Amino acid sequence: LGEAYLKQARDALNQNFDPAAIRYTEQALQVFSRAIQLRPQLVCLWKLVGDVCSVLHSLPMDAVKVALPASLKNEQGDADVMDKTLLLSLGAKAYSQAIRVSQAENHWLWHDLGINYYYQLKAQEGNVERQPELAQHALQALQKAVQLNSEEHSHWTALGVLCCHPAVENAALAQHSFIKSLQLEEDNAVAWANLGALYLRHNQIELAHEALKKAQAVDPEYVCGWLGQAMVAESMNDQDEMAIDLYRQSSEINYHPQAAVGYAHWRCSQLIAGEKTNSRHESQQNILAISDLLDKFTRRHPHHLPALSMYAMILERQGLVAQAERAYRRACEVAAVSPPDDASSLTVIRSGHARVLRGLGRCKEALEIYTSLPDLRLEDACDSALAAYNDSASLSSGVCLQHYDNALKLCKKAQDQSAVLTAAAMSAYAAGQTDQAKTFLMSSSQVQPPEAVCVRGLCALAAMALLQGDATLAVAAQAELAKVSIHDQDETMACTMTWLQATHFNMLGDKMAARRQWSKALRSMPHWSALWASSAKWMLQTNVETKKVSHMSATARIQDPALTQRTSVLEACGLLASGSDNKSALQAVQRAVHACPTQAHNWVVLAAALAAVLHKTTRKAWPAAQAAVEKVEFMASGMRHMSFSSARSLQVAKQALLPLHSWTYQHWCWQKVLHLQQNVAAAVAFCQKNAEVMSSQPQVASSIQLLSVLVQWDAEIKANESDVLSTLRLSVCQQSSWQYAWQCLASAYKDVGCPDCVDLSYRQAVLTTAKTGSSTAVPLLRLALFALHQSVAGRGDIWLPLAQEGVTEAVKQSPESTTALLLRAVVCFHAGELKWVISDLQNVFPCRQNSDASNSTNMEITRK
């Protein structure tokens, strides 16, 4: 049983399960102590106790706490709990007792005793007084083992390893011991590797390489042979890549502490230098491997400052900010006890700690660390400014801009100066200092030489000009932005630049130039999937060529399948906006939901698509709308458990989600009311209940109340017309900024036969929609259709010009809308303008150029 526990302890150590190894060691000691009480004269029991006490030699001093069985205590009274030193000392006593009990001299017991003293020697590296005594005891024990059996190669190898220790430092005896071991056993990878390490230690590179090559040939799975070759390559000036490969091979064969820290050192050096690997997947694999190796190393060597700092950096690189903060904090504690020789190393560790604290939202603590740094670097100054930006108090008090002033003083390159000015402008804009932000951006754009100007600063300047409606500044910013080639930028920046340029043309009313801007970018970089997706999103938001949105989204999805969720939603929205194929829109958004079911946006678009497809069977549409509401509310409630860099970031995220929740809730209420339209009382009660629920959002509550009034209007139009109409008018006035409310009021006036009020309501809907920047085509078409009906009814002299005016403006805004073209054809037919009738009908029913018979038939239908 004791040997089973010992075997489990060794297996746990090999797998780095250190707490389990300590537990198995305690259990093994308990079992062996009971066995010794029964048969104290058995040599094997004392030998096994020594093995158990020596098995934890590789663990750190602080980690080893083992309970001492009462039967193994001496007369002086040992402690109840042993640390690593006492445990190894007990192992030496057990081996000594086994030698005394043994009737014949056993060379293996002396070998084990010498190895135990060697472990004690390594554990007492900081104790100068104890080291000579332990070294002498280890040397005497191993020499005794060699004396008893000089034909055993393991004794000579152990003696050579001991002689390499600084406390002994006998290189000649070490070399003699290794060579003697190899003479006894030539296929001895351990002896070859140790001999190579000895040569390498004394700068005999060629001899070291030959010895290590022998070790690799004898046993390719022996990790020290590969590790020694990595050190040989590392000692040569032009063999860095070979050293990295050898360290990697060593770490893949088996865990070794020197292989782990060596491989991590080289990979971290590459990451700091910005060197790229062959692929993103390979880079991620390297980072994960380094993280695993350093985790094992730092658990066994908790006071190793370089390993702790590298581990913290790798964790930060992986996005594990909380774990990185703990590693940085531990590194700072170790550095406080044992300061590094290089003061800059401590600065790097402390600045890294501040950086991850800022990432965790603990900006005040980060600022305290940054202000205490003696020598502030440019990146530290910029990160301290970012921490002040994320702290609301520091942002509003101007502390953030002071940090950016300090960063500007540290800038030595014009490119860095332009980038810092851009960041300062962002902070000033967030603090409400718009003029100051504009000044910073202008200074950033005027940095010399022109190639050093920050492109993000130019984009920010163009965006600010568009937001403020400053035409002069917008033209100047766009002129500077046009000088920058998108070929020199990454995908994200190219999308941003094209978006701003197209938006500028669109605000000037030149939609054709805006479309040309996107076409030019897509022709230049047709392989950039993000550019296709951005163009689709822009056209969807600006209501320009919505029919092409689905095609562009599908192109982006085909080029990069990783964008399936994003592009499928855009494709569905484009199909819904154009009204061309609602079933295909439903299929597209179903792909997005399957690709990412946790995204609330996907469920919202799914609800809209179902409402469009199942508009006649609302019983199936409203459950999807309810599911969308639940998903959005779940996402909002889960935000408090997410990690945000600051409270301001959390507030921004909540504000961004608020419009989505408002629209989804209103959509669900409309679908539910349509489902309950046969039960007016239930529908009204449902609206009143949900209006109270959404009382915190007055606009949503007002729209639900308007819905309640509309339900009553449809049910009681004949019974109580005037009262319901007054209530409806009051509700619409409360929702004066919602264009659909005015359209509902116009519909009510149409029902009661008040054409002048219908005209005023539709005009108000057009004005309200124009203020939001959206297309006014829908209210214009409804006004034109109503005016056409009035004209046909006998009042053409007044209403026909109004119908012509409305439909003409609607076609200008939506030149590809078949509804607008068809309605203009009908209006022009009544006005006697047959030229426009034929032209518009040909656009509505395009003729096939490849069939003369079909062409003539369609032309005949068009003339009729």
Side-chain angles (χ1 to χ4, degrees), residues 43 46-47 95 98-99 102 104 106-114:
V43 177
W46 292 105
K47 196 266 183 190
Y95 286 130
I99 292 173
S102 177
N106 190 320
H107 60 95
W108 284 114
L109 291 177
W110 286 103
H111 176 93
D112 292 340
L113 179 60

Side-chain angles (χ1 to χ4, degrees), residues 483-776:
K483 298 177 183 178
V484 180
S485 174
I486 65 171
H487 299 274
D488 301 330
Q489 310 299 321
D490 57 12
E491 284 190 64
T492 304
M493 187 52 60
C495 294
T496 303
M497 291 169 54
T498 310
W499 186 292
L500 289 169
Q501 291 166 343
T503 303
H504 178 242
F505 287 124
N506 190 51
M507 292 186 67
L508 294 177
D510 193 351
K511 294 186 178 182
M512 187 62 68
R515 289 197 294 268
R516 281 199 302 267
Q517 194 66 35
W518 281 111
S519 300
K520 178 182 176 182
L522 291 172
R523 282 195 301 270
S524 301
M525 293 293 177
H527 57 284
W528 280 359
S529 55
L531 197 60
W532 287 95
S534 296
S535 64
K537 185 177 179 180
W538 184 87
M539 291 184 177
L540 186 64
Q541 290 185 356
T542 55
N543 197 30
V544 176
E545 292 187 334
T546 53
K547 289 184 178 181
K548 294 184 178 180
V549 171
S550 59
H551 168 69
M552 292 181 172
S553 303
T555 304
R557 174 167 48 82
I558 293 170
Q559 288 187 352
D560 188 0
L563 297 176
T564 297
Q565 183 265 333
R566 176 186 172 190
T567 54
S568 296
V569 171
L570 285 174
E571 183 179 355
C573 291
L575 291 170
L576 290 173
S578 62
S580 56
D581 192 350
N582 292 334
K583 290 186 178 180
S584 297
L586 180 59
Q587 292 173 356
V589 74
Q590 283 174 336
R591 280 197 305 269
V593 170
H594 285 300
C596 190
T598 58
Q599 279 290 339
H601 304 78
N602 299 343
W603 290 91
V604 173
V605 180
L606 177 63
L610 282 172
V613 174
L614 306 174
H615 61 281
K616 294 183 180 180
T617 55
T618 54
R619 180 177 58 84
K620 296 181 180 179
W622 74 266
Q626 184 176 2
V629 172
E630 293 173 354
K631 288 289 181 179
V632 175
E633 291 179 346
F634 177 77
M635 187 175 178
S637 63
M639 278 188 174
R640 61 176 178 269
H641 304 297
M642 298 179 184
S643 177
F644 288 90
S645 59
S646 63
R648 183 174 175 274
S649 300
L650 175 60
Q651 188 65 25
V652 170
K654 286 184 176 179
Q655 290 295 331
L657 196 61
L658 188 60
L660 184 66
H661 179 258
S662 302
W663 184 91
T664 311
Y665 205 92
Q666 293 176 68
H667 176 74
W668 171 58
C669 291
W670 280 85
Q671 293 297 325
K672 184 67 175 179
V673 167
L674 288 175
H675 176 61
L676 297 172
Q677 60 185 354
Q678 302 300 327
N679 191 343
V680 178
V684 172
F686 172 81
C687 292
Q688 292 176 350
K689 177 183 176 181
N690 285 277
E692 294 176 0
V693 171
M694 300 300 293
S695 57
S696 60
Q697 301 183 33
Q699 186 175 1
V700 180
S702 300
S703 66
I704 298 175
Q705 292 173 355
L706 174 63
L707 178 60
S708 174
V709 176
L710 290 175
V711 171
Q712 298 178 58
W713 171 261
D714 289 338
E716 304 176 10
I717 184 171
K718 295 181 179 179
N720 197 5
E721 178 182 296
S722 59
D723 294 341
V724 178
L725 185 59
S726 300
T727 307
L728 179 60
R729 188 186 302 111
L730 180 62
S731 299
V732 171
C733 291
Q734 293 176 353
Q735 286 284 99
S736 58
S737 61
W738 191 24
Q739 55 95 5
Y740 187 71
W742 291 103
Q743 295 186 49
C744 292
L745 184 61
S747 179
Y749 280 130
K750 191 188 303 182
D751 292 336
V752 299
C754 186
D756 293 334
C757 294
V758 174
D759 180 20
L760 292 175
S761 299
Y762 276 132
R763 288 179 183 273
Q764 189 62 40
V766 172
L767 293 175
T768 304
T769 307
K771 289 180 181 178
T772 63
S774 302
S775 173
T776 59

Side-chain angles (χ1 to χ4, degrees), residues 273-434:
E275 297 181 20
K276 296 182 179 180
T277 54
N278 294 333
S279 65
R280 180 180 177 183
H281 177 67
E282 181 184 348
S283 176
Q284 188 65 23
Q285 278 188 325
N286 292 334
I287 291 175
L288 291 175
I290 296 170
S291 178
D292 185 44
L293 292 172
L294 288 175
D295 177 54
K296 295 177 181 178
F297 185 88
T298 52
R299 280 192 277 132
R300 295 281 179 89
H301 305 81
H303 302 288
H304 196 282
L305 185 59
L308 285 170
S309 58
M310 286 191 295
Y311 186 42
M313 185 185 73
I314 288 296
L315 289 172
E316 183 184 3
R317 179 92 174 193
Q318 290 178 275
L320 305 174
V321 187
Q323 294 89 326
E325 192 276 328
R326 288 195 292 269
Y328 273 123
R329 185 172 67 248
R330 178 60 183 158
C332 291
E333 293 171 356
V334 172
V337 176
S338 302
D341 297 333
D342 187 6
S344 62
S345 301
L346 181 59
T347 302
V348 171
I349 295 171
R350 295 188 64 195
S351 63
H353 189 205
R355 186 170 58 250
V356 296
L357 284 173
R358 189 259 305 162
L360 289 171
R362 296 156 61 180
C363 299
K364 292 186 181 297
E365 298 177 46
L367 287 172
E368 291 176 0
I369 295 177
Y370 278 124
T371 52
S372 64
L373 291 178
D375 298 323
L376 206 63
R377 302 172 299 170
L378 175 59
E379 53 266 32
D380 297 334
C382 292
D383 202 76
S384 64
L386 183 57
Y389 173 81
N390 289 331
D391 183 47
S392 302
S394 301
L395 180 64
S396 58
S397 62
V399 175
C400 180
L401 293 179
Q402 294 176 5
H403 284 279
Y404 278 119
D405 288 339
N406 296 333
L408 279 173
K409 296 175 183 177
L410 297 173
C411 291
K412 296 180 180 180
K413 297 180 180 179
Q415 187 175 2
D416 295 337
Q417 183 181 1
S418 180
V420 171
L421 286 169
T422 301
M426 177 187 69
S427 301
Y429 187 82
Q433 302 176 17
T434 308

